[in-house]
Amino acid sequence: MKLLDFTTGDGRRSLWDVAVRRRLHELPPNARNRDLSCGALRPDGSLALTLDVDGRLACFEVETGAPLWELDADPHVKGGQVGGLVFLDDRRALSAHHSGLLAVWPIQREAPTGPLRTLEGAP
């Protein structure tokens, strides 16, 4: 089983293989060395996502640790502080924000231009 680990102080990210207790890759720090709020692994284990406190969504290839893309999610989620990030399936991820907004993102090897949809509730 693979696990995504991240630090909250300097933006470092690592991928681990829990079964053999070994770090697979040290991923590049997020672009602005900001605190990371959350991370998620795609169910098929091929991609990893992180979301920082400034709303920057980043995607990495798990096998090589190569960064694929980064996207400023903040304009799409009304500046809401991040509450969580999870893959719904191999093609979509959901981010939750303290503003009461949920965003469904298309996740592929190319950067999305924005969320597939947003759902707004009470903050």
Side-chain angles (χ1 to χ4, degrees):
M1 177 172 106
K2 293 184 175 92
L3 172 72
L4 175 64
D5 177 36
F6 57 90
T7 63
T8 57
D10 59 5
R12 287 183 295 147
R13 303 171 268 216
S14 299
L15 289 169
W16 291 81
D17 186 328
V18 177
V20 295
R21 299 179 187 159
R22 184 173 65 97
R23 183 169 54 192
L24 300 173
H25 303 290
E26 178 78 25
L27 301 173
N30 63 327
R32 297 174 281 192
N33 291 329
R34 299 287 189 200
D35 289 350
L36 295 173
S37 293
C38 47
L41 284 176
R42 194 158 110 170
D44 70 4
S46 65
L47 299 178
L49 295 176
T50 59
L51 194 53
D52 70 26
V53 295
D54 289 332
R56 194 113 185 121
L57 185 63
C59 184
F60 298 87
E61 184 177 64
V62 170
E63 190 65 34
T64 65
L68 297 175
W69 50 262
E70 285 193 9
L71 170 74
D72 189 4
D74 222 26
H76 303 286
V77 296
K78 301 179 180 179
Q81 185 179 13
V82 179
L85 179 67
V86 65
F87 270 94
L88 299 171
D89 55 31
D90 284 344
R91 297 176 291 123
R92 299 171 302 160
L94 176 76
S95 61
H97 305 269
H98 291 287
S99 61
L101 191 105
L102 297 172
V104 178
W105 302 93
I107 305 300
Q108 300 175 4
R109 295 190 171 293
E110 305 82 30
T113 56
L116 291 169
R117 69 183 61 91
T118 56
L119 306 167
E120 199 164 350

